[in-house]
Amino acid sequence: MPSRYHHLSREQLAVLVPELLLIGHLIDRAGMPYCLEAWGEEEMAQVAIEEWAAASPIYTRRMQRALAFEGDDVPTIFKGMQLDIGAPPQFMDFRYSVTDRWHGAFHLDHCGALLDVEPMGAGMVEKMCHDIEDPTFDATAVATNPRARMRPVHRPPRTPADRHPHCAWTVEIDPDSPGAEPIPALAVNQRSRAATLVLDGIDPGEDGQADYSGPLVSDLDFGAFSHSALVRMADEVALQNHLLNLSFHLAVRKRAGDDEDLFRRVTLRQFIGHAGVAAERLHRAMGLAGTPEDAAYLIELHPLMNPRPYVEFSRDGAAITVSSSPAHEDGGWLPLCTPDTPDALRAIVRAANPYLDVETAGTASEWTARVVLTDTAAREAGEVAVTKFSKGAAFGFEPRRSLPLFVR
């Protein structure tokens, strides 16, 4: 069966892929407030570290294989970062330079994550830019080479307060350095159905770029890729969303222990907040209307229901059907989305029109939902409002030229 994104045009896909990258980044923003509330700043930071470190090595290697740029050098690391939900284009505006295969650098002209936390004070900035960044940057790098290290030249808290660029880092691969050790949760996530999911290959005969095996470029021009390459990217990025969420669940479970109510409260509130903000961005980007049919189509495009081999889903007009899926086996978002807990679905459809609701029936793993029009506009869910503290919720992409960055 073809991808659920296969019917989109090449132009639509070139819009969709960066949207999905930014949407994935907001998973963290949707979940951290509830971790902070439950366990305080120190544990919240540890959740963030484990969340990224148990997911990014998996999906980085998947994308390398999909787009034929596997390697062990600095340009390979940078290519992976350009297709990583941890570094969505422009919102996290990485500017790369390469000295040789083993040495490079980057700085951030715009760090949306920094601008989100600076109003919270220097302590929270240091948590993110020091405590969280050090291990998570290295976890991203070691997916390509376990002897890669990212080290700061300067980073926030900013002195002076308007310092620019926001931060600068070196990247070095030292064959004599000890290989970095993965965190235990990575091995757990590697056993998930998401980690090993097989997706359709890319047709090399189509118009456009079929892979990223050529030179590293300053900014990816998604419109330069072929239709099937963009479909594969979209499916891989949707899967990145699931993998990051699964590692978030692992980190939350580790702290909640046997307190099932606490685990469910934290993960469900993250899910609702992310679902609504993601839907709002997709609705705007894809130019959808506010009818029940368009809202059901919005559910079909949402990372929650993708990629096709991971989620058994079908749509007929304003009605959707979900069946037992690999996503249910993994225990991420989909088991939290049931006829008894439809709030995430409501957040999605109300991103299209606040007068919409869902009527659900079925069991936890086999259910139907119909999007219906009501007489009363619903208030925005509190979890969605909390997630919108991130400037990523309303961030707008701009056209960029793509220039090759040659290795000297």
Side-chain angles (χ1 to χ4, degrees), residues 13-23 88-89 222 230 281 397:
L13 287 163
V15 172
L16 177 69
V17 173
E19 284 293 335
L20 291 174
L21 286 164
L22 181 48
I23 284 166
F222 292 99
L230 288 165
R281 287 201 62 92
F397 294 107

Side-chain angles (χ1 to χ4, degrees), residues 55-273:
S56 64
I58 301 171
Y59 63 63
T60 295
R61 294 184 189 111
R62 286 189 60 96
M63 191 67 83
Q64 289 176 348
R65 291 193 297 269
L67 293 179
F69 65 91
E70 289 180 281
D72 60 357
D73 58 10
V74 167
T76 304
I77 293 171
F78 290 166
K79 287 181 179 182
M81 291 170 69
Q82 290 176 320
L83 290 160
D84 187 325
I85 56 177
Q90 299 183 28
F91 184 68
M92 303 293 289
D93 197 8
F94 284 76
R95 305 287 87 200
Y96 301 103
S97 63
V98 181
T99 303
D100 56 42
R101 290 187 60 203
W102 314 118
H103 299 86
F106 63 81
H107 65 266
L108 269 75
D109 274 351
H110 178 278
C111 179
L114 171 65
L115 298 181
D116 282 346
V117 301
E118 273 189 328
M120 302 177 190
M124 191 63 77
V125 169
E126 190 152 335
K127 277 278 181 293
M128 184 184 75
C129 298
H130 296 243
D131 300 348
I132 296 173
E133 291 290 13
D134 284 352
T136 54
F137 268 161
D138 277 352
T140 297
V142 301
T144 298
N145 192 318
R147 288 175 171 77
R149 298 291 183 271
M150 299 187 183
R151 295 293 178 261
V153 177
H154 70 82
R155 55 179 164 176
R158 289 193 281 173
T159 306
D162 60 350
R163 185 172 189 175
H164 193 269
H166 289 167
C167 66
W169 296 69
T170 61
V171 183
E172 179 180 358
I173 296 172
D174 180 359
D176 296 326
S177 70
E181 293 294 326
I183 67 169
L186 176 62
V188 178
N189 214 11
Q190 285 172 327
R191 295 193 292 270
S192 68
R193 294 292 300 274
T196 57
L197 197 72
V198 176
L199 296 172
D200 287 345
I202 296 169
D203 181 355
E206 290 182 350
D207 289 341
Q209 194 171 322
D211 57 44
Y212 194 10
S213 60
L216 172 71
V217 295
S218 58
D219 294 277
L220 278 183
D221 176 7
F222 292 99
F225 286 89
S226 70
H227 182 269
S228 64
L230 288 165
V231 168
R232 179 60 183 270
M233 280 188 211
D235 277 342
E236 288 288 351
V237 178
L239 204 59
Q240 288 186 19
N241 277 247
H242 287 285
L243 284 162
L244 185 66
N245 179 60
L246 289 173
S247 58
F248 175 75
H249 279 217
L250 288 171
V252 171
R253 172 66 74 188
K254 179 178 172 181
R255 285 151 184 85
D258 294 331
D259 190 339
E260 194 63 31
D261 288 342
L262 177 58
F263 172 79
R264 188 171 180 82
R265 183 165 65 250
V266 172
T267 54
L268 183 58
R269 297 188 79 183
Q270 176 253 44
F271 177 30
I272 295 167

